Amino acid sequence: MLDRIGEQLRDLDSVEPGRGLMVSLGEVSARVFGADPVPRGYLRHVLLEDSAASAELFGRLLPGARAEVERLSEVHGEQAPDEERAPFQMLCLILGPLLLERVMQPRLDEPMFGPEAPARRSAANQQLLLRGCYGLPGCGLLPGFR
């Protein structure tokens, strides 16, 4: 599973200029986690079992998240506000829906990992990571909420 994720991320090295790394990262995430329930179920099971295997799996995901945060910082010419925690935040955004799928799905009108959902979620994550959320234009805050 980790090899599959790594393979998809390595393909990002050939992102066409001007296309945007965040868009490409979102597409990779949607491909890896959205299309097939088996990898989602496997990752959810291992990450939530509170074992040495779950700690090892998370430990193997973390360097990849760190590398992607560094790559995003380089591409956008700015470092994350908290470089130490940014990889954890990125993993929370990506893994959160996977880990919470069973409790979130009953409250949604469409499948969480249906054909359109991962791309929509990815777009929201990109917006959040690139622009922040509080008080900045384009974040999609609820009307009247500040």
Side-chain angles (χ1 to χ4, degrees), residues 18-45:
R19 185 156 190 289
L21 183 59
M22 284 303 299
V23 171
S24 297
L25 273 172
E27 288 174 358
V28 166
S29 180
R31 271 196 313 270
V32 171
F33 298 118
D36 188 351
V38 174
R40 287 197 317 269
Y42 169 76
L43 284 173
R44 178 175 34 249
H45 175 76

Side-chain angles (χ1 to χ4, degrees), residues 23-117:
V23 171
S24 297
L25 273 172
E27 288 174 358
V28 166
S29 180
R31 271 196 313 270
V32 171
F33 298 118
D36 188 351
V38 174
R40 287 197 317 269
Y42 169 76
L43 284 173
R44 178 175 34 249
H45 175 76
V46 173
L47 287 169
L48 293 176
E49 71 182 3
D50 192 24
S51 68
S54 59
E56 181 181 343
L57 175 59
F58 188 82
R60 289 184 64 193
L61 292 170
L62 196 53
R66 279 193 179 106
E68 293 313 314
V69 167
E70 288 171 11
R71 189 182 339 208
L72 287 170
S73 294
E74 185 177 310
V75 167
H76 294 287
E78 235 178 277
Q79 290 192 317
D82 185 340
E83 287 185 59
E84 184 180 337
R85 290 196 173 35
F88 292 92
Q89 292 169 321
M90 180 179 278
L91 285 173
C92 285
L93 286 171
I94 294 168
L95 295 175
L98 175 133
L99 297 175
L100 297 170
E101 181 178 8
R102 292 179 181 157
V103 294
M104 290 173 70
Q105 184 57 67
R107 289 153 180 83
L108 296 171
D109 295 335
E110 58 188 40
M112 272 185 77
F113 290 94
E116 310 268 328

